């Protein structure tokens, strides 16, 4: 369902996914031992923050492909696309990286990480952290490198969609990625590719293909995609529950691939207005607002959660439910408020103004 050129509900999904990652990190710091789950059963679902990133990747492919899907899968200039993506992604990313480095150097590093080094600055600054190892200043930044790398293959994906169709794209990408996953345990050279989280290429392609469904004829777009999404999700949910967190975390590669179709179908359902109650909920003003700065929330929350949990709460109480609840009460409002302020400076202006000239004029006009 489109509202003034905007697909209703998608911003709400972004906001909820980012918030889920925040809750996940609050959980991780309050119940040590991941992936062993020693927490109460009612909190167990918070162990799987990784799957929010899966949703982000599918949603990214979906959102980027909506416009090309209207135009015969034509992207236009690859250079223009690259510049626009860099303008959208890099300013808040680099600002968040600088903030994270300052926190790690002067206050507290990320749990399980050494103090960041010059290699951290170089590799994270160039979005190569998944290629070259270095101490991480922010536990959430790993996925930004993966997404940036997917932008390079996005024009090729659209070319295949235009010339060969969705089945060929999904079949080719899936075959290549599954081959990597199957060979990685026995071929060391192939195993190196697992650092790039190759399954995300399939998820990205799934999102792009689902954008084509939304822009297809009304008969195809009007199918009960929410029920298809539920049918795809139920077997995966049963697997996660029955196999347990230790197995699931060890097999994220395969579980991510299994979740991809359900996530894509859910996005298709929401974008076509089904089910209505869910779309209305996701399109409420608070969730739309949260979604508008969800990228900033994702970027800066990890150092904030660590400071709240380790500096203020850990000296006063042991890990457990009280620590978890207090971490939620203190860290979530801090993260959301700080992300809104951060986005106001480093994210939203770059969305509203597409060039340095426009941005400078807007700044001058504001301070006249």
């Amino acid at each position: 369902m489109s509202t003034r050129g905007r697909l209703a509900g998608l911003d709400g999904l972004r906001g909820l996914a980012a918030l889920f990652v925040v809750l996940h990190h609050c959980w991780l710091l309050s119940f040590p031992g991941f992936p062993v789950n020693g927490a109460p059963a009612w909190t167990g679902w918070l162990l799987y923050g990784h799957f929010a990133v899966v949703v982000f990747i599918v949603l990214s492919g979906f959102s980027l492909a909506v416009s090309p899907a209207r135009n015969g899968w034509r992207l236009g200039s690859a250079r223009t696309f690259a510049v626009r993506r860099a303008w959208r992604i890099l300013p808040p990313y680099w600002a968040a990286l600088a903030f994270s480095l300052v926190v790690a150097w002067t206050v507290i590093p990320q749990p399980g990480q050494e103090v960041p080094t010059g290699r951290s600055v170089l590799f994270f600054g160039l979005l190569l952290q998944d290629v070259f190892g270095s101490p991480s200043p922010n536990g959430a930044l790993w996925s930004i490198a993966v997404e940036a790398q997917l932008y390079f293959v996005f024009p090729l994906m659209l070319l295949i969609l235009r010339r060969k169709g969705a089945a060929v794209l999904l079949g080719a990408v899936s075959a290549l990625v599954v081959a990597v996953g199957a060979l990685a345990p026995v071929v060391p050279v192939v195993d190196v590719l697992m650092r790039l989280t190759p399954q995300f290429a399939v998820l990205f392609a799934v999102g792009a293909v689902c954008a084509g469904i939304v822009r297809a004829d009304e008969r195809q777009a009007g199918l009960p995609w929410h029920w298809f999404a539920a049918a795809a999700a139920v077997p995966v949910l049963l697997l996660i529950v029955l196999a347990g967190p230790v197995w699931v975390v060890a097999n994220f590669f395969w579980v991510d691939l299994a979740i991809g179709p359900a996530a894509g179908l859910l996005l298709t359902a929401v974008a076509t207005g089904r089910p209505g109650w869910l779309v209305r909920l996701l399109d409420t003003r608070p969730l739309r607002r949260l979604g508008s700065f969800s990228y900033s929330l994702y970027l800066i929350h990890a150092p904030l959660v660590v400071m709240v949990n380790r500096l203020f709460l850990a000296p006063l109480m042991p890990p457990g439910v009280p620590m978890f609840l207090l971490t939620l009460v203190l860290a979530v409002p801090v993260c959301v408020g700080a992300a809104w302020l951060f986005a106001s400076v480093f994210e939203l202006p770059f969305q509203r103004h597409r060039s340095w000239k426009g941005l400078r004029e807007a700044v001058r006009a504001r301070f006249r």
Side-chain angles (χ1 to χ4, degrees):
M1 181 181 295
S2 180
T3 304
R4 292 178 296 199
R6 176 181 61 86
L7 291 173
L10 297 190
D11 285 340
L13 277 175
R14 287 188 187 92
L16 287 178
L19 184 61
F20 184 70
V21 176
V22 177
L23 300 181
H24 167 67
H25 283 129
C26 292
W27 185 94
L28 282 181
L29 292 172
S30 303
F31 300 105
F34 177 87
V36 175
N37 183 10
W42 59 271
T43 70
W45 58 284
L46 291 171
L47 184 147
Y48 298 110
H50 173 86
F51 296 140
V53 181
V54 169
V55 172
F56 275 131
I57 296 297
V58 179
L59 185 51
S60 179
F62 183 96
S63 300
L64 290 177
V66 166
S67 180
R70 289 195 201 104
N71 301 299
W73 297 113
R74 297 184 185 280
L75 181 64
S77 167
R79 181 181 180 280
T80 300
F81 170 76
V83 169
R84 287 179 177 174
R85 283 288 86 197
W87 182 262
R88 172 69 180 88
I89 295 297
L90 290 179
Y93 172 80
W94 281 333
L97 174 59
F99 166 71
S100 302
L101 287 167
V102 169
V103 171
W105 285 332
T106 64
V107 183
I108 184 171
Q110 292 285 282
Q113 295 287 327
E114 297 177 358
V115 174
T117 63
R119 288 169 59 91
S120 304
V121 177
L122 176 64
F123 296 145
F124 277 81
L126 295 176
L127 288 166
L128 294 174
Q129 58 263 39
D130 59 337
V131 179
F132 303 103
S134 62
S136 173
N138 184 324
L141 297 185
W142 67 273
S143 68
I144 309 301
V146 179
E147 182 163 348
Q149 290 150 15
L150 289 170
Y151 295 157
F152 286 99
V153 299
F154 182 62
L156 177 60
M157 288 185 178
L158 293 183
L159 179 64
I160 296 172
L161 276 169
R162 184 167 72 249
R163 295 188 176 180
K164 299 297 183 180
V168 172
L169 173 66
L170 290 178
V173 176
S174 298
L176 180 61
V177 168
V178 167
V180 170
L183 292 174
V186 294
V187 181
V189 174
V190 177
D191 186 51
V192 173
L193 297 176
M194 296 297 283
R195 293 176 60 92
L196 305 179
T197 326
Q199 70 269 30
F200 281 8
V202 178
L203 304 177
F204 196 76
V206 166
V209 168
C210 289
I213 296 173
V214 174
R215 293 304 179 190
D217 59 84
E218 291 186 4
R219 180 178 176 183
Q220 185 174 339
L223 292 173
W225 296 106
H226 53 303
W227 291 117
F228 299 159
V234 167
V236 185
L237 292 175
L238 287 175
L239 172 66
I240 291 170
V241 171
L242 294 176
V246 174
W247 184 90
V248 170
V249 171
N251 291 276
F252 268 153
F253 178 92
W254 301 107
V255 179
D256 289 351
L257 291 176
I259 288 176
L265 291 168
L266 174 62
L267 292 180
T268 303
V270 170
T272 54
R274 296 187 179 187
W277 64 267
L278 178 59
V279 176
R280 289 190 294 272
L281 174 64
L282 292 172
D283 209 43
T284 55
R285 185 175 181 181
L287 288 183
R288 286 203 316 270
R289 188 69 179 272
L290 182 64
S292 71
F293 59 90
S294 58
Y295 181 45
S296 291
L297 179 59
Y298 183 83
L299 287 175
I300 70 166
H301 78 275
L304 296 173
V305 172
V306 170
M307 285 192 288
V308 168
N309 181 275
R310 294 298 168 88
L311 296 182
F312 293 99
L313 298 180
L316 303 177
M317 63 185 67
V321 173
M323 174 181 278
F324 171 61
L325 294 177
L326 281 174
T327 303
L328 289 181
V329 169
L330 297 176
V332 172
V334 167
C335 290
V336 172
W340 177 77
L341 292 173
F342 179 91
S344 299
V345 178
F346 297 109
E347 182 181 3
L348 300 181
F350 291 88
Q351 291 183 34
R352 299 181 184 124
H353 308 286
R354 297 298 182 91
S355 67
W356 284 115
K357 180 180 178 181
L359 191 58
R360 285 196 301 270
E361 291 176 352
V363 172
R364 290 195 192 103
R366 187 174 183 86
F367 288 99
R368 281 176 186 168

